[in-house]
Amino acid sequence: MRTALVITSIAAPNAVLRSFAAGCQPRGFDFILIGDKPSPLDFSLEGCDFWSLERQRTMPFQLASLLPERHYGRKNLGYLQAISNGANVILESDDDNFPRPEFWEPRKETHRATCVQGTGWTNLYRYFSPEPIWPRGFPLEHLQDPVPQLPGVAERHCPIQQGLADENPDVDAIYRLVGKLPQDFQRREHPVALGKGAWCPFNSQNTTWFKEAFQLLYLPSYCSFRMTDIWRSYVAIRICWENGWDVLFHNATVWQERNAHNLMKDFADEIIGYQNNKAICERLQGLSLTPGAAHIAANMVACYQEFVAMGLVGAQEMPLLEAWNNDMARMA
């Protein structure tokens, strides 16, 4: 299966990017790196297919001319390029996550996992840690909810898979200000699958996507930077329910040496999520969507129309989503 790794970064080749390039080369993985306006003009890294802003403008995708600059959403072009190259599996990470040896192990869609279903908001981090830790994007009003007991292990079909990150996990600014860090997660014999009727956000830092779920990779641009991958995850989870897919959470295969952040700025950017994440998922859950892979694009439009109606995503998003769906359709 052809595999691609997609990252967006404005950094010069650093230790993380060199580590990813060194891992991709012997395995024949495409390593696609999407730059932005501040990226070094002389960026060069063996084993890395770097796309400067100027080079991105030559891409044959409708989306290439519409995406705003200086935004994480430009990563969408990396996904499209990977798909255009023939990828069957897309891995994604960031430029401050070091891969562990397990990161390079072969991926599979079906896993023997324990699955939470019909449990509403379920903090899956708690199955991997005794600490009161939660993923970025989890509603604060549900942090004190009891953690449901896990059922037995069964075969689960999981075309989207979230790997955890050790040392500096993907948590929100509130946890970083008051919680225990650094922290490593416990290792489970079996992963945990998020099934129908259960909500838990996932991020873009250590995530595996299989071909049938590629349409759901789309990252919105006209929203809070700290919410783009979180709100994408809500859309993906809701549409997975219609297709009988689970989202897998598995042991950490990267560790993060976090880039410098202003935590109070992160907090300010996350407030819109703290105030709305629960309501967003109530609205998404109430949508009447159409089952089947052929309807994913239309279901995505319905979901993002809800974000626009709530005033959380700008109306400028819809032409971008249309372009994404058109680009995907042409490559089908």
Side-chain angles (χ1 to χ4, degrees):
M1 297 181 71
R2 185 161 183 171
T3 300
L5 169 67
V6 177
I7 293 177
T8 185
S9 174
I10 59 172
N14 61 17
V16 169
L17 296 177
R18 290 195 296 271
S19 180
F20 277 124
C24 285
Q25 277 189 291
R27 295 170 176 85
F29 290 4
D30 295 332
F31 178 16
I32 298 169
L33 183 65
I34 299 297
D36 210 329
K37 197 155 191 171
S39 297
L41 296 177
D42 60 349
F43 187 99
S44 179
L45 176 60
E46 185 178 357
C48 173
D49 183 15
F50 175 68
W51 289 79
S52 66
L53 201 58
E54 182 178 358
R55 190 180 175 208
Q56 291 168 38
R57 296 189 183 107
T58 70
M59 287 177 158
F61 310 123
Q62 285 186 19
L63 191 61
S65 63
L66 299 177
L67 285 168
E69 297 177 3
R70 299 179 183 269
H71 197 282
Y72 192 76
R74 299 201 72 83
K75 194 175 189 181
N76 287 319
L77 296 179
Y79 306 143
L80 290 173
Q81 185 60 37
I83 295 164
S84 178
N85 290 348
N88 304 106
V89 180
I90 292 178
L91 318 178
E92 62 173 334
S93 191
D94 285 331
D95 62 6
D96 53 1
N97 289 288
F98 283 91
R100 289 193 166 139
E102 305 96 303
F103 180 86
W104 303 108
E105 293 177 357
R107 304 301 209 274
K108 58 181 181 178
E109 280 188 82
T110 301
H111 282 261
R112 287 187 57 75
T114 184
C115 181
V116 293
Q117 300 180 80
T119 53
W121 287 102
T122 309
N123 180 0
L124 266 62
Y125 275 18
R126 294 303 309 276
Y127 296 120
F128 295 83
S129 176
E131 298 291 332
I133 188 171
W134 64 90
R136 178 169 53 92
F138 195 89
L140 301 179
E141 56 265 57
H142 285 283
L143 289 179
Q144 299 299 326
D145 291 359
V147 181
Q149 186 174 354
L150 290 174
V153 174
E155 293 287 326
R156 308 300 304 187
H157 184 63
C158 309
I160 305 172
Q161 302 178 8
Q162 170 77 97
L164 302 187
D166 279 338
E167 189 145 329
N168 220 317
D170 188 35
V171 291
D172 62 24
I174 290 179
Y175 184 85
R176 291 188 185 283
L177 290 164
V178 304
K180 176 183 175 182
L181 288 173
Q183 184 171 161
D184 288 350
F185 289 103
Q186 296 176 341
R187 303 192 67 76
R188 295 185 55 88
E189 180 181 0
H190 296 289
V192 182
L194 188 74
K196 187 170 185 177
W199 292 102
C200 183
F202 64 87
N203 58 56
S204 60
Q205 294 191 2
N206 182 19
T207 318
T208 302
W209 300 75
F210 287 84
K211 187 173 182 176
E212 61 185 320
F214 281 175
Q215 192 89 31
L216 298 171
L217 278 159
Y218 178 78
L219 289 161
S221 295
Y222 289 98
C223 66
S224 166
F225 168 77
R226 296 289 291 168
M227 291 295 108
T228 179
D229 59 337
I230 300 303
W231 289 351
R232 172 184 74 172
S233 79
Y234 294 156
V235 172
I237 289 167
R238 177 64 184 89
I239 294 174
C240 281
W241 294 359
E242 298 299 324
N243 292 289
W245 302 341
D246 297 335
V247 177
L248 195 76
F249 283 66
H250 63 77
N251 293 332
T253 56
V254 302
W255 60 274
Q256 185 180 77
E257 193 172 277
R258 196 172 194 240
N259 293 328
H261 277 246
N262 180 325
L263 291 182
M264 294 309 294
K265 183 179 184 306
D266 284 352
F267 170 73
D269 289 342
E270 291 166 357
I271 286 175
I272 194 168
Y274 298 135
Q275 294 174 324
N276 293 284
N277 286 340
K278 180 179 178 180
I280 287 168
C281 293
E282 288 174 353
R283 294 278 287 266
L284 295 182
Q285 191 159 342
L287 289 175
S288 179
L289 302 182
T290 305
H295 301 284
I296 291 177
N299 287 340
M300 290 175 68
V301 170
C303 289
Y304 279 100
Q305 284 173 339
E306 287 296 305
F307 281 102
V308 172
M310 295 177 75
L312 303 176
V313 173
Q316 311 99 302
E317 193 68 47
M318 301 314 292
L320 272 67
L321 179 58
E322 181 182 8
W324 166 269
N325 285 336
N326 289 341
D327 288 330
M328 290 293 294
R330 281 195 297 273
M331 293 188 289

